[in-house]
Amino acid sequence: MRWGSLIVPVLLAVADALLVNGVTFGLELNVSLAAAAALLVRRRLPTLVFLITLPGILIGYVWFAPMIALYTVALLRPNRRLLGISALLLAAAHFIPWPVSDFEPTAYRENTLTLIDACVTSVGPIALGLLVRTRGELAARIEDLIRSRRHADELLAEQVLSTERARLAREMHDVVAHQVSLISLQAGAVQISAEDAKAREGARTIRELSVRTLDELRHMVGILRAAGGDHEELTPQPRLADLPRLIELSALNVSFETDGATRRPGHPEAVERAAFRIVQEALTNVRKHAPGARVTVRLNDAEAAKGPAQEAEGPAQEAEHAGQETARQAEETRGLRVEVRNGPPDASAVAPGLPGGGHGLVGLRERAQLLGGTLEAGPTEEGGFVVRADFPKTPRVTGTA
């Protein structure tokens, strides 16, 4: 389309020159063809091209080339003084005959008709050029208005979302926090008034869990009030060192096995947080679906798998580098493995009837995959259930899981 809009006017001007002046080269045809050829650069030099086309209408009596050139001037150079002078020049070139000696001042009727034609020839291209330019400016302004309106709608949607999050945060604080606070107060009263040591211990555990729930609730409320923006952690996040306390407060028959990964530094904070949440969710599922079952929580370093190049080495080479590779892998590629395994439920135990949404394992698997790890969960041959997660030493992302 771009080349068509450039070539088609030139072809029309050439056809006009040939129809008016014939195919025999002479002064009239030469200036007419020169005017037509100048249209090729009319967009870069509109004023100069218009001046070149004036001899074409004065000597060769062609209209297309000067009218197209004047239209281009009005489209690209909408200066009133320039357009006024250009209109006068085109009208004069159209009105004055060639040679000038053929002009007859007493031919009033013919001169009047020629003057009217000259005015129409000069005013028409200018009006059309200004109209097309104004239409383009209006289209650009409409596009800007649409873009501004879209941006305003996005801002309004963000404001509505922020308001809804703030309302949800208030409702969570007013309803859930109030109920958990009552549970904590009642547990404190039972802890003081109970005579049985086990009852006091249970009440103390309930109170500590209530306080921890309130802390996490305040953390979530702060996130909602932040409306999704960047924010610092409002409360300390759980780490591997907090697992023994979590297991102690779970009120389950749990055996905790670890090779010191909870005390060894070097695991990223996001990995430790994800490992803690996996153990927390797994223990919650045991409490819901396998009451009275024995639970084993294992936390150790995941072994690094061999790469293709290492598997291709011969026994002699593998033995030669065994000591170096073992030390290097243990230090550089060792990740973290979390496993929670429970046996079958105790038939004599009473199910607590806790509510569940069925999305816990899905969320844990997404959390593990986000860090570049894997999570497997499924029943065991003994009738129990196992949840196993492996995390790399260097997670894919940090701080978001």
Side-chain angles (χ1 to χ4, degrees), residues 71-143:
Y71 162 81
T72 306
V73 172
L75 180 65
L76 301 180
R77 302 289 188 270
N79 183 274
R80 294 184 178 181
R81 181 176 298 178
L82 176 61
L83 293 179
I85 296 175
S86 300
L88 290 177
L89 290 176
L90 182 59
H94 188 185
F95 179 75
I96 298 174
W98 180 263
V100 182
S101 59
D102 294 343
F103 180 71
E104 296 181 2
T106 57
Y108 300 110
R109 181 174 178 277
E110 293 181 0
N111 291 339
T112 302
L113 293 175
T114 304
L115 181 60
I116 294 175
D117 291 341
C119 293
V120 173
T121 303
S122 60
V123 173
I126 293 177
L128 183 60
L130 293 178
L131 179 62
V132 174
R133 180 181 179 85
T134 303
R135 182 180 179 276
E137 293 177 350
L138 289 177
R141 291 185 180 181
I142 291 175
E143 185 178 355

Side-chain angles (χ1 to χ4, degrees), residues 14 31 66 78 85 87 108 193 196 199 214 240 292 333 344 356 376 391 396:
V14 171
V31 295
I85 296 175
Y108 300 110
S193 61
D196 188 10
L214 283 175
L240 293 180
T333 62
E376 301 175 355
F391 296 97
R396 188 178 305 165

Side-chain angles (χ1 to χ4, degrees), residues 27 41-42 59 125 157 188-189 251 267 280 295 321 328 339 347 357 364 369:
L27 179 61
V41 293
R42 67 184 185 278
I59 301 174
H267 295 293
Q280 185 180 44
V295 185
H321 300 288
R328 183 180 60 83
E339 180 179 294
L364 294 182
Q369 293 176 352

Side-chain angles (χ1 to χ4, degrees), residues 52-261:
I52 294 175
T53 59
L54 289 178
I57 192 173
L58 176 65
I59 301 174
Y61 298 100
V62 291
W63 288 11
F64 279 2
M67 292 179 67
I68 293 173
L70 184 57
Y71 162 81
T72 306
V73 172
L75 180 65
L76 301 180
R77 302 289 188 270
N79 183 274
R80 294 184 178 181
R81 181 176 298 178
L82 176 61
L83 293 179
I85 296 175
S86 300
L88 290 177
L89 290 176
L90 182 59
H94 188 185
F95 179 75
I96 298 174
W98 180 263
V100 182
S101 59
D102 294 343
F103 180 71
E104 296 181 2
T106 57
Y108 300 110
R109 181 174 178 277
E110 293 181 0
N111 291 339
T112 302
L113 293 175
T114 304
L115 181 60
I116 294 175
D117 291 341
C119 293
V120 173
T121 303
S122 60
V123 173
I126 293 177
L128 183 60
L130 293 178
L131 179 62
V132 174
R133 180 181 179 85
T134 303
R135 182 180 179 276
E137 293 177 350
L138 289 177
R141 291 185 180 181
I142 291 175
E143 185 178 355
D144 292 339
L145 289 176
I146 293 175
R147 191 182 299 109
S148 300
R149 184 174 181 180
R150 187 182 300 113
H151 181 63
D153 292 340
E154 293 176 357
L155 292 179
L156 181 60
E158 292 179 0
Q159 183 178 3
V160 171
L161 180 60
S162 177
T163 303
E164 185 65 19
R165 283 178 172 174
R167 185 189 65 81
L168 180 60
R170 288 194 299 269
E171 299 234 350
M172 287 180 60
H173 185 273
D174 295 341
V175 178
V176 183
H178 176 68
Q179 301 294 336
V180 176
S181 299
L182 291 179
I183 294 174
S184 178
L185 291 176
Q186 294 294 334
V190 172
Q191 183 181 359
I192 296 176
S193 61
E195 298 179 357
D196 188 10
K198 292 185 178 179
R200 289 196 300 270
E201 181 65 20
R204 184 182 64 82
T205 302
I206 294 174
R207 187 173 184 181
E208 290 184 2
L209 290 175
S210 301
V211 173
R212 180 172 297 184
T213 301
L214 283 175
D215 289 339
E216 295 193 2
L217 178 62
R218 293 191 185 98
H219 175 66
M220 296 304 300
V221 168
I223 292 177
L224 289 174
R225 288 177 175 174
D230 295 335
H231 58 279
E232 298 180 354
E233 298 291 350
L234 302 181
T235 58
Q237 293 300 292
R239 305 292 291 267
L240 293 180
D242 299 321
L243 280 178
R245 185 58 178 168
L246 173 67
I247 294 173
E248 180 184 354
L249 297 176
S250 64
L252 296 174
N253 185 7
V254 182
S255 174
F256 183 44
E257 301 177 2
T258 179
D259 58 358

Side-chain angles (χ1 to χ4, degrees), residues 240 242-248 250 252-262 275-284 286 293-300 336-343 385-389:
L240 293 180
D242 299 321
L243 280 178
R245 185 58 178 168
L246 173 67
I247 294 173
E248 180 184 354
S250 64
L252 296 174
N253 185 7
V254 182
S255 174
F256 183 44
E257 301 177 2
T258 179
D259 58 358
T262 57
F276 181 91
R277 295 303 183 190
I278 288 174
V279 175
Q280 185 180 44
E281 180 66 21
L283 294 180
T284 302
V286 172
R294 296 179 59 85
V295 185
T296 301
V297 177
R298 292 190 180 93
L299 194 69
N300 49 34
L336 180 66
R337 167 168 291 186
V338 181
E339 180 179 294
V340 181
R341 181 185 298 268
N342 65 272
F385 201 83
V386 61
V387 177
R388 183 184 300 108

Side-chain angles (χ1 to χ4, degrees), residues 13-32:
V14 171
D16 184 26
L18 294 176
L19 290 175
V20 173
N21 300 291
V23 295
T24 303
F25 287 100
L27 179 61
E28 293 81 1
L29 183 59
N30 292 338
V31 295
S32 300

